[in-house]
Amino acid sequence: MTIHITAKNVNKDFTNALKSLAKLADVKLTIKKEPSEELLRSIKDVKNGKVEKFKDFASYKKAMDS
């Protein structure tokens, strides 16, 4: 038997609980993680060239502090 479960906003504690239950029941568990919306947006920005480039870490730190 195969069961597909979709859960959103899952944290590490929930994942660990599922793994523990699966281990107790001797069930093979496969967990697929999907990237967050923020990560997908950032990847799209990088592909479109919307990134800031810095000469060194000091200039990066200065820009982040201001």
Side-chain angles (χ1 to χ4, degrees):
M1 178 191 304
T2 301
I3 298 173
H4 295 275
I5 299 172
T6 302
K8 294 184 179 184
N9 299 327
V10 175
N11 62 18
K12 190 171 183 162
D13 293 333
F14 184 79
T15 304
N16 289 339
L18 281 179
K19 287 179 182 178
S20 296
L21 287 172
K23 187 175 181 180
L24 288 173
D26 195 27
V27 172
K28 181 181 176 191
L29 179 66
T30 303
I31 298 176
K32 294 182 181 179
K33 298 179 184 178
E34 295 182 10
S36 67
E37 291 296 322
E38 294 85 10
L39 178 59
L40 292 174
R41 201 173 316 119
S42 296
I43 291 170
K44 185 178 178 182
D45 287 346
V46 169
K47 286 182 179 179
N48 292 333
K50 296 180 181 177
V51 294
E52 292 184 47
K53 296 182 181 179
F54 298 95
K55 182 179 176 182
D56 54 18
F57 184 74
S59 59
Y60 167 78
K61 186 176 178 182
K62 184 178 178 182
M64 293 300 113
D65 288 341
S66 60

